[in-house]
Amino acid sequence: LFRSDQTPWRGLKEKKRGWDLPLARPELFEKAVQDAVAFDQAQFDQWSQNAWQYAHDYGQNLNLAEAYHKLFE
């Protein structure tokens, strides 16, 4: 759920998928952890499902099997 803002994943909080945080701002990481700890079960379930779905869809869109095949040809 917590990612650096130096990755290709952006806008995570707005989509309830996690946080993309600047590494130079550790106080924002602390705030994100506090926010996540305050989630009720429904919020936790929603964010967890959204994060899982995003990761799944991202992996599917990469067509990893074809990329690995090309890599090892």
Side-chain angles (χ1 to χ4, degrees):
L1 288 175
F2 303 102
R3 300 279 182 254
S4 160
D5 65 347
Q6 304 301 305
T7 68
W9 305 286
R10 298 283 190 262
L12 299 174
K13 184 176 180 182
E14 294 78 17
K15 297 172 185 165
K16 298 182 180 178
R17 294 174 174 163
W19 292 261
D20 43 290
L21 304 168
L23 296 175
R25 302 278 312 272
E27 73 277 7
L28 296 178
F29 179 79
E30 182 179 342
K31 172 75 168 92
V33 170
Q34 290 171 348
D35 290 348
V37 167
F39 284 172
D40 61 24
Q41 188 64 52
Q43 288 172 300
F44 176 81
D45 292 346
Q46 180 184 26
W47 282 62
S48 294
Q49 178 61 36
N50 290 351
W52 183 92
Q53 191 65 55
Y54 185 62
H56 177 268
D57 293 347
Y58 185 83
Q60 294 296 315
N61 289 336
L62 290 178
N63 200 358
L64 293 176
E66 182 178 325
Y68 287 138
H69 182 71
K70 286 181 182 180
L71 177 66
F72 294 109
E73 282 183 337

